Amino acid sequence: MTIDELIEGFELFEDWEERYRYIIDLGKQLPAMPEDLRTEERFVRGCQSQVWLLTDYDEDQDRLYLAVESDAVIVRGLAAIILAALNRKTPSEVAAYDMDDFFQQLDLLRHLSPTRGNGLLAMVGRIKQEAAALAA
């Protein structure tokens, strides 16, 4: 899913109850991460739910490939939103991408509980940190 498709999807719904259902549906579309990849080093701290992040770097294509797993359906949906923005980009593009602006376009953070918002930012922070290390 592209960023434009995601924004278009959000704009189809007028109220946030419908948008939450849309976010949950996005999460259901994410492929499951195999159990053996849900390791301690992939565990994302700062999330209310259990979240694992897999970052795979393809050196030949200079692209990051991301996968996220969570035990909470809403968090899987939030992860799908992050992946729409950052997956399959170069490490430099990921490090430079303005996620705050993206979330503002969706009016997302204002409609999440503080703990969900912190978890979302923790996932983004972890991805950007790994991208910055590869870009250096």
Side-chain angles (χ1 to χ4, degrees):
M1 168 173 294
T2 68
I3 294 169
D4 291 338
E5 291 170 337
L6 183 71
I7 291 170
E8 198 174 289
F10 261 75
E11 290 172 350
L12 290 175
F13 304 108
E14 300 208 7
D15 69 47
W16 268 91
E17 191 171 316
E18 292 174 325
R19 288 180 180 167
Y20 284 128
R21 281 196 290 273
Y22 177 63
I23 292 169
I24 289 168
D25 286 343
L26 291 174
K28 289 177 181 177
Q29 295 172 29
L30 280 183
M33 183 183 290
E35 194 73 38
D36 63 324
L37 295 178
R38 299 180 203 174
T39 61
E40 183 62 29
E41 62 269 3
R42 293 190 177 107
F43 189 75
V44 179
R45 307 250 177 262
C47 295
Q48 181 180 8
S49 306
Q50 292 189 336
V51 177
W52 295 269
L53 169 69
L54 174 62
T55 306
D56 188 29
Y57 177 59
D58 183 330
E59 214 172 309
D60 293 335
Q61 295 183 6
D62 189 31
R63 298 269 177 233
L64 282 178
Y65 293 92
L66 307 167
V68 179
E69 182 63 72
S70 177
D71 61 345
V73 290
I74 190 76
V75 175
R76 285 179 59 86
L78 294 172
I81 290 170
I82 293 169
L83 294 181
L86 302 178
N87 200 23
R88 296 184 173 95
K89 301 232 183 313
T90 69
S92 298
E93 289 170 332
V94 170
Y97 192 83
D98 189 345
M99 287 301 290
D100 292 334
D101 182 62
F102 179 55
F103 292 150
Q104 195 168 6
Q105 285 181 53
L106 299 175
D107 196 24
L108 187 60
L109 290 175
R110 196 166 63 90
H111 294 278
L112 296 177
S113 69
T115 53
R116 287 274 184 248
N118 288 341
L120 181 69
L121 296 175
M123 282 189 277
V124 170
R126 174 86 171 265
I127 293 168
K128 283 187 162 276
Q129 179 183 27
E130 292 185 24
L134 287 166

